[in-house]
Amino acid sequence: MKQRISFLLACVFLCLPGCRASGAEQTFFAMDTVMSVQVSGRRGPQAVAAAREAVERLDGLLSRTDSDSQIARLNTAAGDGAAVAVDPDVAELLAFSQEIARQLPGDFDITIAPVMDAWGFTTEERHVPAPDALAAAMALVDSAELSVDTEASAASLAHAGMEVDLGAVAKGFAAREAEAAIRDAGGTSAMLD
C-alpha cells in the first residue's frame, strides 16, 4: 500500500510542472522605480502589455521632471492665473490628493515640491538647506492654493514657485489603473510590484 501511495504522489509531482497555467511577466522602469507585472492565464501577454501601457501613460502625464508632462506644465504655469488643461485622470488624482491634504493637515501635501528641491531630493546632490531657503520653500507649500476643476479637467497653482509632486500617490493610482487594464484585457490573476 505504501508503495502504491508513493507511486501516485510521484506521478502527481511529475505532472505538476506540465499543468502550470500560461501567463506572462514583464519588468520595466517607470515613475522612477522598477516595476513588475505578472499575469497568469492565456490572456497574460495581452494583459501585461495593457498594464504596462497604462502605467507608462500615467508616467508621461504625472512626472514632475519630464517637461512634456501635464504636471510639469501645471508647475511651470504657477502664479500666472491661467488654468492648465489636464487629462481627467490627472484632475481626479489632484482632487483626491487635495482632499487627503485637507484630512491630514500638515502631514500630507502634494505642493511639497519646493521643499524637496531645497533638500536636493530630485538630484544626486542632497544637502541640508540653509534655514532661509527652507523657510522660502515652506512658504510655497499649501495645497489649498491649488485649484482643481474636475468637470473641466483643469488645474492651476496660485503663486509663482509653487509646484506639485505626486510621488506620494502616483504609484498607487498607477496600480489601480494597471489592475483595470489587466481586467479589461481578460486577465483574472495578477501580481503588481
Side-chain angles (χ1 to χ4, degrees):
M1 182 71 166
K2 286 184 182 179
Q3 287 179 331
R4 180 179 260 170
I5 292 174
S6 297
F7 175 74
L8 289 173
L9 285 174
C11 288
V12 168
F13 286 123
L14 289 174
C15 290
L16 282 178
C19 297
R20 203 174 109 195
S22 61
E25 181 177 359
Q26 226 180 71
T27 301
F28 55 97
F29 190 80
M31 298 185 167
D32 292 327
T33 194
V34 176
M35 298 191 173
S36 175
V37 178
Q38 182 179 12
V39 181
S40 300
R42 62 179 183 78
R43 300 289 299 167
Q46 296 89 340
V48 165
R52 180 176 182 168
E53 183 179 317
V55 169
E56 289 177 341
R57 180 185 79 82
L58 287 174
D59 190 25
L61 295 173
L62 304 176
S63 174
R64 163 168 102 88
T65 58
D66 177 356
S67 61
D68 294 328
S69 81
Q70 292 180 2
I71 293 301
R73 286 191 291 117
L74 172 64
N75 291 342
T76 299
D80 73 4
V84 174
V86 295
D87 186 272
D89 284 340
V90 175
E92 177 188 347
L93 185 57
L94 289 170
F96 169 79
S97 300
Q98 197 171 38
E99 178 57 30
I100 297 301
R102 274 194 281 274
Q103 292 176 20
L104 301 171
D107 294 331
F108 177 86
D109 197 310
I110 59 169
T111 62
I112 194 72
V115 174
M116 294 175 63
D117 289 345
W119 283 88
F121 289 144
T122 56
T123 70
E124 295 302 317
E125 299 174 23
R126 292 169 182 87
H127 58 276
V128 176
D132 58 335
L134 185 56
M138 286 295 296
L140 295 169
V141 178
D142 185 357
S143 63
E145 297 293 324
L146 166 67
S147 296
V148 182
D149 184 341
T150 54
E151 288 184 23
S153 292
S156 64
L157 290 162
H159 306 288
M162 290 187 77
E163 287 192 34
V164 165
D165 185 302
L166 293 167
V169 294
K171 292 172 186 74
F173 188 76
R176 185 188 83 173
E177 295 300 304
E179 176 195 3
I182 288 167
R183 289 184 189 280
D184 290 347
T188 57
S189 178
M191 183 171 64
L192 306 170
D193 181 18

